[in-house]
Amino acid sequence: MKKIFKSAAVFILSALICMPLTAQENDFKDEPQKEDLVEYVYQMNQKGDQYIKVAISAMNPIGFGNMFEGTAKMYTGGMGSLGYHYFIKPWLIAGADIGFGFCTTIGKHIFNYIPFVATLTYQPTFRQFEFPITVGLGFATETYINYKYFPGLVLKGEVGAYWRINASWSVGADVTYFFMPQFAQLYNKEAHNILGQFVGGTIGARYHF
């Protein structure tokens, strides 16, 4: 009889120990499994993106002062430029441009300039269209006949509209303003200071990577 009671006690004790485990297992089965969902958001421009810009401009001199001696008048010239730009934010871009420009005077002499400009661009977008608004500060090497002026101050303003063809390419146009003063009297009191101003129309292509 004692063996029967002992066996019954062991069975009951074992059942009591296993009941919480069984209940816990059932609880896990009843609860739906939760999955961690990761949502990926794609933007055409993101922080860290870059692009290289190639552009050709027609540059028209406006309000151009004295050219070294006497008064100089200049015809519309041209400029080619190459730039590298980096997205700090999806709408804010830092970069640098280098160009080569020229204009011809009425005396058939050529005024050449090579500007190096650091730029900052704010670029709002609408669907596949991008609207860069750029300001720049830099310096230029300027030559005219046998005269050379370096370093020349360069201030740049630019507003454009570009169409994003695909993830790698965009094409568009800009309106560009260049202010390139020459403070020649700092070096020669008999020289003339020049307040060179140019307004240009630009056609550009940008390779994004």
Side-chain angles (χ1 to χ4, degrees), residues 38-49:
V38 179
E39 184 178 356
Y40 294 95
V41 178
Y42 174 75
Q43 293 178 312
M44 188 67 75
N45 299 313
Q46 302 183 62
K47 178 182 177 181
D49 287 353

Side-chain angles (χ1 to χ4, degrees), residues 54-76:
V54 179
I56 299 176
S57 309
M59 302 298 291
N60 181 45
I62 61 171
F64 214 86
N66 293 329
M67 177 62 76
F68 301 104
E69 293 183 0
T71 300
K73 293 183 179 180
M74 304 175 69
Y75 297 114
T76 299

Side-chain angles (χ1 to χ4, degrees), residues 64-98:
F64 214 86
N66 293 329
M67 177 62 76
F68 301 104
E69 293 183 0
T71 300
K73 293 183 179 180
M74 304 175 69
Y75 297 114
T76 299
M79 184 175 70
S81 62
L82 177 67
Y84 166 80
H85 302 267
Y86 179 88
F87 282 84
I88 303 173
K89 295 181 178 294
W91 46 268
L92 187 63
I93 310 163
D97 296 313
I98 179 173

